[in-house]
Amino acid sequence: MRDPAFPALHIRPARGWLNDPNGLCRIDGTYHVFFQYNPHAPVHGNVHWGHVSSTDLLHWTDQPVALFPRPAGMDAAGCWSGCIVDDGGVPTAVYTANPDHAGNATVGLARSDRTLAAWTQADKPVVLAPDDEAIDEVRDPFVFSFEDRRYAVQGAGKRGGRPQLLLWSCDDLEHWVPLKALLTTDDAVAAEVAAADIWECPNLAYVDGHWVVLLSVWRWIDGTHRLDGVRFLLGDLLREGDGLRFKATGGGAVDDGPAFYAPQVLTDNGRLLLWGWSWELGRDFSQLAQAGWAGSLTFPREMFVRNGRLGSRPAAELTGLRRERLDATSGAEFAAPAFEVVAPGPVALELVNGTDADQVVAVRGSGDQPARVLVDGSIVEAFAADRSTTTRAYPTESGRWRVVTDGPVEIWRLGLP
């Protein structure tokens, strides 16, 4: 029986656990998306790198699992987040290798041919955990280029301490040279916008004449950790001695919803694409075990800078999912596994399960920027006024959706062409 909550058009395997997107790249005309993956249970653990590929951002082909935890190896406790570098024609995964627990995580390399179908994981790390009392966890290497040099950052921090982005020179991926931190909370804007104990999943990109840093916020509160959303910083990337420094000039939230974390970006022919992880909301272990799956990647988004902030919209290719139009009468109920709502003014989406009706999201379009709400199973992604909101809502077999608006609206069923 079809699971009405399963997001069939989004990237995720049929079973198991999924979290962070990893290794986004486009090689020889094919997009590749990797992700944190437990193939054996819908819980975080035993983390592999899953892999899908596409030539159009609509049709995704499952590929063999790319990276595996190896017993007694540097990644025995998991192949955690990282990126992929086209290193002189050799696709190279640069990933967090966890030997036993997060405090001992290192940086590992794995290499493939141009198909990216089979990978050889190195036996030894290229970077060890730092010997620094101000840091107890480091992870999530992200490689970028600046002025014809190659660098990498890692998110770092400490429970009850201060977050920072470690910086390395890595023109030779086999030999990393440590440099002074790229960013700390000595930067007043970063300290205010992205308060955290640890910064995770850092990304750097240049878009619309601005350098952008993305930070996933890990906080230690009341004896436990909380993943507290994702922040962006706009600013300048400056030379400082042998290294670099990021000076923030502004920032804010990347997404306003409760189910968005750990995004990664891909520069693609002049545009900046982004995927994020959308976790489950309000589902306990027994519900996840019964479903057999947990977590989804978002649809790809195009990121841009406008009016001093980082904005987002659905990737242009996603209009290719539109099939026939549905009844767009305000208040009418309908059933569809996946659909898109487009409205030039205010619009709200409600989920009706039995006699219960809950508002899922409410947004407002304006001018030439209509609000768009894309729904696929239980994942809901809303876009309006250059902002995004990612949330979850779980339809039952008899569940129905309802759109409420006082103006014109279009509703499209979504499906593969």
Side-chain angles (χ1 to χ4, degrees), residues 19-362:
N19 60 295
D20 309 1
N22 296 150
L24 305 183
C25 57
R26 189 181 188 189
I27 292 180
D28 299 339
T30 297
Y31 294 97
H32 296 269
V33 175
F34 300 78
F35 48 86
Q36 300 285 274
Y37 174 42
N38 181 356
H40 303 301
V43 296
H44 184 265
N46 190 34
V47 175
H48 299 53
W49 272 32
H51 177 199
V52 295
S53 64
S54 174
T55 57
D56 62 5
L57 298 182
L58 301 178
H59 300 83
W60 293 94
T61 301
D62 291 331
Q63 299 292 345
V65 170
L67 305 184
F68 297 80
R70 294 169 293 175
M74 65 178 179
D75 44 25
C79 302
W80 286 8
S81 293
C83 63
I84 284 179
V85 180
D86 192 349
D87 188 31
V90 180
T92 303
V94 183
Y95 69 100
T96 304
N98 182 2
D100 42 32
H101 62 82
N104 288 332
T106 64
V107 176
L109 300 181
R111 300 189 187 274
S112 182
D113 61 21
R114 304 294 290 182
T115 68
L116 283 70
W119 293 80
T120 301
Q121 293 164 239
D123 292 328
K124 295 181 179 180
V126 292
V127 175
L128 299 175
D131 183 13
D132 185 339
E133 292 184 355
I135 297 171
D136 61 15
E137 294 191 31
V138 179
R139 51 182 167 267
D140 311 330
F142 184 85
V143 177
F144 66 99
S145 296
F146 179 71
E147 295 181 350
D148 298 323
R149 296 288 307 278
R150 190 161 61 192
Y151 299 90
V153 289
Q154 289 179 281
K158 184 176 183 178
R159 299 177 187 188
R162 303 171 63 192
Q164 57 182 295
L165 293 188
L166 304 186
L167 179 68
W168 306 80
S169 173
C170 59
D171 289 318
D172 180 352
L173 288 178
E174 300 284 350
H175 299 93
W176 291 33
V177 178
L179 302 169
K180 186 178 178 180
L182 180 77
L183 180 69
T184 72
T185 50
D186 288 340
D187 184 297
V189 175
E192 178 180 357
V193 170
D197 294 81
I198 300 171
W199 285 332
E200 295 192 293
C201 302
N203 286 225
L204 275 83
Y206 190 73
V207 57
D208 296 333
H210 299 266
W211 278 98
V212 179
V213 170
L214 302 186
L215 302 169
S216 293
V217 173
W218 190 103
R219 300 183 67 192
W220 186 254
I221 299 175
D222 296 330
T224 188
H225 79 276
R226 184 169 77 192
L227 308 183
D228 203 26
V230 185
R231 310 292 188 268
F232 73 87
L233 298 172
L234 300 180
D236 300 308
L237 196 54
L238 307 171
R239 282 273 172 216
E240 185 170 89
D242 294 333
L244 304 172
R245 177 171 62 92
F246 183 82
K247 179 176 176 54
T249 57
V254 174
D255 186 279
D256 297 325
F260 179 87
Y261 198 73
Q264 191 169 105
V265 298
L266 167 63
T267 300
D268 176 46
N269 292 333
R271 65 175 175 170
L272 190 67
L273 295 176
L274 175 147
W275 282 260
W277 165 37
S278 182
W279 53 48
E280 306 305 316
L281 292 179
R283 291 192 128 181
D284 60 27
F285 177 75
S286 63
Q287 290 172 304
L288 297 180
Q290 182 177 5
W293 62 273
S296 173
L297 297 192
T298 65
F299 277 133
R301 304 174 181 184
E302 296 176 2
M303 310 304 291
F304 54 90
V305 176
R306 181 156 49 202
N307 299 325
R309 67 163 284 116
L310 184 68
S312 66
R313 57 182 169 244
E317 288 87 343
L318 294 178
T319 59
L321 294 175
R322 292 176 180 173
R323 308 271 65 85
E324 74 274 9
R325 293 192 183 189
L326 304 177
D327 182 0
T329 305
S330 179
E333 295 181 6
F334 62 93
F339 59 93
E340 179 180 359
V341 178
V342 182
V347 62
L349 177 68
E350 299 176 349
L351 176 58
V352 182
N353 278 326
T355 60
D356 296 327
D358 296 302
Q359 181 172 288
V360 176
V361 69

